[in-house]
Amino acid sequence: MDKAILEGDTSALKLLVPGIQARMKGDGPEYVTTKPTGGASAIKPFATLSEQSAAIQDRRYGRDAAYTREIEKRIEISSF
């Protein structure tokens, strides 16, 4: 990209511009991300924002590393 712009490489610019336009329009590829599924040990998302707030206000949050990691993972997969 630097060479195309700084050196004025027109053939590289012709390839570069459509790629930038696609990114700006959001026409790029959509990557599928999977979330862990499994048995009883699978991490479940929070059902409500108040449930998430209660977990964060629990005295273990920020003190117990395992509990804090679990809450952070639940926040990541929550859909609100």
Side-chain angles (χ1 to χ4, degrees), residues 43-44 68-78:
I43 296 174
K44 298 178 180 137
T68 302
R69 275 193 308 273
E70 179 184 346
I71 298 307
E72 289 171 348
K73 287 178 183 177
R74 291 183 70 189
I75 290 170
E76 285 179 20
I77 62 173
S78 295

Side-chain angles (χ1 to χ4, degrees), residues 14-78:
K14 287 179 183 178
L15 293 173
L16 183 66
V17 172
I20 292 172
Q21 288 174 333
R23 284 186 190 173
M24 291 175 67
K25 290 180 184 177
D27 292 342
E30 292 185 26
Y31 299 101
V32 177
T33 57
T34 58
K35 296 179 183 171
T37 59
S41 65
I43 296 174
K44 298 178 180 137
F46 288 108
T48 64
L49 190 56
S50 61
E51 182 183 357
Q52 177 180 320
S53 296
I56 291 172
Q57 292 180 8
D58 185 292
R59 64 181 180 79
R60 295 174 289 171
Y61 188 77
R63 294 182 181 165
D64 180 342
Y67 178 79
T68 302
R69 275 193 308 273
E70 179 184 346
I71 298 307
E72 289 171 348
K73 287 178 183 177
R74 291 183 70 189
I75 290 170
E76 285 179 20
I77 62 173
S78 295

